[in-house]
Amino acid sequence: MMMSFFEPMIVFAPSPFMLHVNSTACSFDKAAAGSGPVFEEQPVNTIYPEESPEAKITMTCRARANPPATYKWIFDGEEIDMNAQKSHYSLAGGNLVISYPHKGKHVGRYSCLASNKYGSVISRSASVQFGYLDFFSSEERESVYVKEGQGAVLLCAPPPHYPAELSFRWILNEFPTFIPLDKRRFVSQITGNLYISKVDASDSGNYSCIASSPAISKSVFSNYIPLVPLAERPIRKYPADFKVKFPDTTAMVGQNITLECFALGNPVPEIRWKKLDGPMPANHEVRMAGAHLHLNNVQIEDAGAYQCEALNSKGKDYHSARLSVEAVPEWVEYINNTEKGLGSEHAMSCEASGKPKPHIRWLKNGKPVNFSKNPVKRELAARNGRVVIECRPRAAPKPTISWSKDTELLHNSTRVFIWEDGSLEILNVTRADEGRYTCFAENDRGKANSTGSLLVTDATKITLAPANGDVKEGEDTALQCAASHDPSLDITFIWALEGQVIDLHKDSLHYERPLVSPNKNPCIILNVQLKHAGNYSCTAETLVDNVTASAYLLVRGAPGAPGGVRVLNKTEKSITVQWSKGADNHSPITKYTIQFRDAYSKVWKNASTCKNPCDCGGELGVGNRGGLFPWTDYEFRVIATNTLGTGEPSSPSPKDKTLDSFPVVAPSNVTGGGGTNGELIITWKPVEPLYYYGPNFGYILAFKQKLEQVWRYVTVSDPQARRYVHKDSSIPAKTEFQVKVKAFNSKGDGPYSTTAAIYSPSSPRPASSVSGIIMICVA
C-alpha cells in the first residue's frame, strides 16, 4: 500500500486554510448519542493584585460534552501535574485554582484541555500577571519657579507599576481639592504631568500627583511640589508651543482611543484638530477644552494622519502623527461537525478576516496538525525584485521536487532557480510572473503537491531623498523624504541616526515627523545639538519591500572640552600647564582660556588667555599662570573658544603645590598692654594661611623699653597664635614698650610689622579674698 510521505492520513492541501482527511482510519457510530466537548466558558486574561487579601486565582473552564468532559490545564506549553508535591494547583470542576500565587512561579499563559471519548478541544490561552503600584519616591520635590505669563510643567514621575494603564489627577494644597481642568490646565493621561499654559498668581501652592491603577483598585500620592509664580510687570506674551504631542498610534477595530495635544503660551492657545487625508470621522469628539481628540468605536477607515494645531495672537504650532487601525481575526468561513463514510475523503476549510492577515493553524484533539506548517503559501513580490517560494514537505527518504506555474512546468534558467531544499527563486520579477505555483514532491513512498500564488506589486521607490546638511548648534533643520509605492499596500517611513531608529516619543523635544501626505514624511530636528550630527537614513517600507536613502548632517558648534590638563613645571609664584586639544566641532578654535582655583576658594578665576592656538603647541597646549602664591595647592582647567561660542571646561588638573618661599606678609593690628604687675601682654592678628608661603610657619616677637637700645626676641611656633604674655617681675609699672612682630617659615623670615607702643600695667591687680566654710559630717 502506498502512503503519503507528508503525513500518514494527510496530503498537501491547495491552501493553508483547507484540510483534506482520508477517512480510512475514521469511523462514526451513528447510533451513539454522545458528543465531543464544546466550550461554554474559557479562561480570560487575569491580573492578580500583589496585595490581594484573597490568596488564590481562579481560571474558568467549562465545556458541554456527553459523556462529561475531563479537564487538564497547560501552563506555558507544559501540562500541569495536579498531583505534584507541594503543588499550588487544584481543579474545581473544570476551573483551575492557584492557591497562594507566587510571582516567580505562576506568571505565564494558561489554556484548558477538555476531553471525552469523542475527542478533545483546547481553549484559547489566557495570561496570569501580577499587578502592583509602588509608592512614589520619598525624596523631597524641588520648588518650581515660573514668571507670570509663562507656561509651567509639573512632572508626575509615576512609580513602578503593572499594568501600564494608569489614570492621573492632581490636588492643590490638600485632599480632596482637585485641580480643575480647562483651557489653561491639562493633565496628560499618558505621563501624568500637569501642564499650565499660562501661570498667574492664583496658581501658587503645593501640588501632588495622584496615580491610580484601575486594574488593582489602588491609588498613591506624590510628595508635594511647590509652584511659585514670580511677578513680572508687564507680563510678556509667548507664542503657542506644543508640549504634549500624541505619537504614532495603533488601535484595534471597535476600540475607543484618545489622542492628546496641549500647548503652552500667552494668551492661552486654542487647539484645533483635523484629519490630513480625509474628513474627520463621524465618531469623533473633542474634549478637555480641545486637548483630547476622542474616537469612539474605531473603524478601519478611521486610519490616517491626524493633526493638532495650537494658535494664539503671538503664533501657531503644529503636530501630526499617524493612526493605524488593526482588526482581530473573525471567522468568515468555519468548520462544522460532519459525518463521512469509510474510505471517503473530506475537505474542511476555514477562512478568517483581520488586519494584519491572520495566521491559521489546525488542531486535532487539541494537538497541532503538523501538515499545517509547510504548505506553499501566497507570496507577494515587488516588480524588479526577488522572491523565494518555499516548498518543504515532511518526507523520508528525501523527495524529488519540481515546480509548475499555472500549467507550465518550470526549469532552471537565468531568472528561475529550484534550490536543493525545494524552494523556488525568481529574480527580476515582472507582472508576467503572477499566477499559481504548484510544488510537486515524490519519493518511493508516494507523491503529493501543494499550490500557492504569487502577486506582483509595484516596487517602492524614493522620489525625494534627504540631502546632506550643514547647520549650527541651536538651529532647526529638516531632512526631506518621499516615496512612491504600490497603492494596494500601506507604506511606513522609518528614520534612523547611525543605524539606530529614532524614537519620536522619547525624544520629542528635538524630533518631529509631520505627515505632509501618506507618501511624504520629513524629519524635523529642533534646536539641533552636537549629538544630532551623523548619518541619517530614511527607509520607506511596505509589506513586500523597502528602500533606503541616506544623508549626512554636519553640526557646527562650540568646541568640546580639552583634555589631559596637567602641570608641566612650577616655581614659587608660577605654574605652567599643558593640555590636549578637544574637538573643534567643525569651527577652528580661536583661543584657550586657562582658569585656576586654590585650596581656599571654590570659585574658578581666569588666569590667562592663549589667543593664538598655534602658539599653544598644536595638539598640546601650554599656558602659564604667574602671580600665584607660594606653597599653595592649585587646580587648573582649560576652556576652548571658537566663532560659534565657548565650550565646556576641561576636567580639573590634579592638585599641585607651588614651591615654598619666605613670607612677605607681616602680622597686623599689633598691640597689647594690661595684665598684672610683672607681665607684658602682646597681641596681633595672625597671618592668613594663604600667606604662610611654606612649612614650619610661626612668629618672632621683638620688644624693648622705649629708651633701651637692645631688643629682646621671642619665638612663637603656633601659626594661629594671636597673644603672648611675657612675665618678668622687674618690669616697672606704666612703662612704655615698643613692640613689633614678623612671620617666619622654613625658607626664612618675613618683614616686621609696624612698631607699636604698649604699656605695662599701672598697678598690680588686687588678690581675691576667699573665705570658706568647712562642714564635717560625723557619723
Side-chain angles (χ1 to χ4, degrees):
M1 168 178 141
M2 297 292 290
M3 186 176 292
S4 165
F5 56 92
F6 289 96
E7 192 71 27
M9 296 185 294
I10 303 172
V11 299
F12 248 150
S15 81
F17 313 135
M18 184 170 289
L19 188 66
H20 288 261
V21 180
N22 184 317
S23 297
T24 56
C26 301
S27 64
F28 296 91
D29 184 358
K30 295 184 179 180
S35 61
V38 176
F39 280 116
E40 294 184 330
E41 285 188 75
Q42 298 188 58
V44 295
N45 293 338
T46 300
I47 296 176
Y48 175 77
E50 291 185 355
E51 302 171 6
S52 174
E54 185 178 12
K56 68 177 182 179
I57 299 172
T58 301
M59 306 289 284
T60 57
C61 181
R62 183 165 58 88
R64 182 178 70 253
N66 186 14
T70 59
Y71 298 90
K72 296 179 180 179
W73 281 83
I74 313 298
F75 172 47
D76 284 347
E78 299 290 334
E79 182 179 334
I80 296 174
D81 183 359
M82 300 291 179
N83 299 317
Q85 190 174 8
K86 297 182 179 179
S87 174
H88 293 255
Y89 298 106
S90 61
L91 283 177
N95 296 344
L96 176 69
V97 179
I98 309 173
S99 301
Y100 302 103
H102 188 278
K103 190 175 184 179
K105 296 180 180 179
H106 300 127
V107 168
R109 300 200 68 83
Y110 293 79
S111 52
C112 171
L113 184 71
S115 306
N116 68 5
K117 68 178 183 179
Y118 293 106
S120 301
V121 287
I122 191 166
S123 73
R124 62 172 173 249
S125 66
S127 68
V128 167
Q129 296 288 346
F130 280 60
Y132 64 92
L133 175 59
D134 290 349
F135 291 105
F136 277 92
S137 168
S138 60
E139 291 185 6
E140 187 174 340
R141 297 289 190 104
E142 293 185 1
S143 299
V144 176
Y145 297 89
V146 184
K147 291 181 180 179
E148 291 184 18
Q150 290 185 346
V153 181
L154 301 186
L155 303 181
C156 179
H161 58 279
Y162 184 87
E165 294 76 20
L166 294 178
S167 62
F168 300 94
R169 291 184 295 175
W170 284 73
I171 59 175
L172 176 60
N173 294 329
E174 60 182 13
F175 185 86
T177 307
F178 295 105
I179 301 293
L181 303 181
D182 49 30
K183 289 182 64 175
R184 197 172 65 87
R185 287 167 291 201
F186 174 73
V187 175
S188 170
Q189 295 304 310
I190 305 299
T191 64
N193 297 342
L194 170 63
Y195 298 83
I196 303 176
S197 61
K198 178 184 71 108
V199 170
D200 59 36
S202 67
D203 294 316
S204 176
N206 296 312
Y207 291 76
S208 175
C209 177
I210 306 177
S212 302
S213 173
I216 62 173
S217 301
K218 181 180 178 181
S219 299
V220 290
F221 296 69
S222 75
N223 280 347
Y224 279 107
I225 305 172
L227 176 62
V228 183
L230 303 176
E232 183 177 53
R233 296 292 181 269
I235 295 178
R236 296 176 58 189
K237 295 186 176 181
Y238 302 91
D241 180 20
F242 273 124
K243 293 301 180 186
V244 179
K245 306 173 183 178
F246 69 97
D248 287 344
T249 303
T250 299
M252 302 301 295
V253 168
Q255 184 181 0
N256 298 336
I257 65 160
T258 300
L259 307 181
E260 292 187 343
C261 274
F262 190 76
L264 308 185
N266 182 18
V268 175
E270 179 183 352
I271 299 177
R272 300 172 181 172
W273 292 84
K274 66 180 178 180
K275 192 168 186 281
L276 295 178
D277 45 8
M280 287 285 277
N283 56 349
H284 84 275
E285 294 179 65
V286 177
R287 301 176 177 174
M288 297 295 295
H292 279 171
L293 175 64
H294 189 76
L295 302 179
N296 296 294
N297 189 23
V298 170
Q299 300 299 309
I300 293 291
E301 58 269 21
D302 296 336
Y306 288 80
Q307 182 184 80
C308 52
E309 175 192 51
L311 66 158
N312 64 11
S313 59
K314 297 295 290 183
K316 298 181 180 180
D317 196 9
Y318 302 89
H319 170 70
S320 56
R322 178 166 290 277
L323 171 66
S324 301
V325 181
E326 298 181 349
V328 297
E330 290 187 0
W331 291 117
V332 177
E333 181 182 358
Y334 46 88
I335 58 176
N336 293 299
N337 295 336
T338 306
E339 294 183 2
K340 300 293 290 187
L342 289 173
S344 64
E345 289 192 355
H346 174 51
M348 292 179 285
S349 63
C350 60
E351 183 179 349
S353 64
K355 186 179 180 182
K357 189 174 180 64
H359 169 72
I360 294 176
R361 64 191 183 109
W362 289 84
L363 302 173
K364 179 183 177 183
N365 286 332
K367 297 182 179 179
V369 177
N370 292 331
F371 165 74
S372 65
K373 294 179 180 178
N374 300 328
V376 177
K377 299 176 181 178
R378 177 176 180 265
E379 297 286 351
L380 298 174
R383 191 162 54 178
N384 301 321
R386 165 185 176 272
V387 68
V388 175
I389 307 175
E390 290 187 344
C391 179
R392 293 187 295 171
R394 297 183 59 179
K398 182 178 179 180
T400 301
I401 302 292
S402 59
W403 283 86
S404 70
K405 175 183 179 291
D406 298 328
T407 59
E408 175 189 358
L409 191 64
L410 298 177
H411 302 280
N412 286 340
S413 66
T414 57
R415 282 200 321 115
V416 178
F417 303 91
I418 300 176
W419 292 359
E420 188 174 341
D421 69 356
S423 299
L424 177 67
E425 179 182 28
I426 306 174
L427 304 177
N428 300 321
V429 173
T430 68
R431 290 285 186 189
D433 293 319
E434 288 188 333
R436 292 173 61 83
Y437 287 78
T438 302
C439 174
F440 299 90
E442 181 175 3
N443 65 8
D444 61 1
R445 305 295 296 169
K447 62 178 67 176
N449 62 78
S450 178
T451 301
S453 61
L454 176 64
L455 177 66
V456 178
T457 63
D458 290 336
T460 305
K461 296 178 181 178
I462 296 288
T463 57
L464 178 61
N468 292 339
D470 187 335
V471 297
K472 296 178 183 178
E473 188 177 15
E475 293 181 342
D476 298 343
T477 190
L479 299 171
Q480 301 296 330
C481 189
S484 63
H485 69 293
D486 190 284
S488 67
L489 302 172
D490 290 334
I491 189 170
T492 300
F493 288 88
I494 301 170
W495 281 93
L497 171 57
E498 298 294 351
Q500 297 295 317
V501 174
I502 297 171
D503 189 329
L504 296 179
H505 186 62
K506 289 184 178 178
D507 203 1
S508 59
L509 289 178
H510 291 287
Y511 288 105
E512 282 188 354
R513 283 172 51 192
L515 293 176
V516 179
S517 70
N519 288 353
K520 191 173 183 181
N521 188 214
C523 178
I524 296 176
I525 312 173
L526 306 173
N527 187 20
V528 174
Q529 303 297 300
L530 293 170
K531 66 180 180 180
H532 297 137
N535 190 66
Y536 285 81
S537 61
C538 170
T539 300
E541 184 175 73
T542 68
L543 181 65
V544 176
D545 65 345
N546 63 76
V547 61
T548 299
S550 301
Y552 191 86
L553 180 65
L554 182 72
V555 180
R556 303 181 189 272
V565 181
R566 65 187 182 93
V567 172
L568 201 60
N569 52 60
K570 58 188 176 182
T571 69
E572 297 91 341
K573 296 185 178 181
S574 68
I575 282 181
T576 301
V577 294
Q578 185 183 63
W579 64 90
S580 58
K581 178 184 177 182
D584 63 12
N585 291 327
H586 311 291
S587 182
I589 293 172
T590 56
K591 70 174 181 179
Y592 290 102
T593 301
I594 305 167
Q595 294 185 325
F596 74 99
R597 66 181 176 187
D598 56 41
Y600 309 102
S601 173
K602 298 297 184 183
V603 178
W604 288 95
K605 303 172 185 176
N606 288 346
S608 60
T609 301
C610 186
K611 293 187 176 180
N612 186 353
C614 294
D615 295 338
C616 295
E619 291 299 314
L620 288 178
V622 179
N624 180 271
R625 165 62 187 172
L628 302 178
F629 292 99
W631 204 64
T632 300
D633 283 320
Y634 286 99
E635 293 177 286
F636 294 86
R637 69 182 188 183
V638 181
I639 304 173
T641 300
N642 62 18
T643 56
L644 297 179
T646 297
E648 292 294 317
S650 68
S651 297
S653 68
K655 290 181 180 180
D656 210 330
K657 194 185 294 286
T658 48
L659 301 182
D660 55 350
S661 179
F662 54 83
V664 297
V665 175
S668 59
N669 294 344
V670 178
T671 185
T676 63
N677 198 25
E679 290 183 345
L680 182 65
I681 299 176
I682 304 171
T683 62
W684 65 94
K685 181 180 179 182
V687 174
E688 294 181 10
L690 181 64
Y691 300 102
Y692 287 178
Y693 285 12
N696 301 319
F697 185 86
Y699 302 101
I700 297 175
L701 284 59
F703 58 94
K704 68 180 182 68
Q705 291 187 27
K706 182 177 180 181
L707 300 178
E708 288 181 344
Q709 298 299 317
V710 180
W711 292 84
R712 283 182 275 182
Y713 300 94
V714 175
T715 299
V716 179
S717 59
D718 181 4
Q720 295 298 317
R722 58 181 65 242
R723 185 174 185 269
Y724 175 75
V725 180
H726 178 71
K727 296 186 177 182
D728 185 349
S729 59
S730 64
I731 295 176
K734 293 187 65 176
T735 301
E736 179 179 347
F737 281 81
Q738 291 184 324
V739 181
K740 56 185 178 181
V741 184
K742 67 178 177 179
F744 72 91
N745 62 20
S746 295
K747 274 287 188 177
D749 299 348
Y752 274 113
S753 66
T754 57
T755 302
I758 64 175
Y759 293 87
S760 59
S762 60
S763 61
R765 192 175 292 168
S768 299
S769 61
V770 179
S771 63
I773 300 174
I774 299 176
M775 299 182 67
I776 301 175
C777 179
V778 179

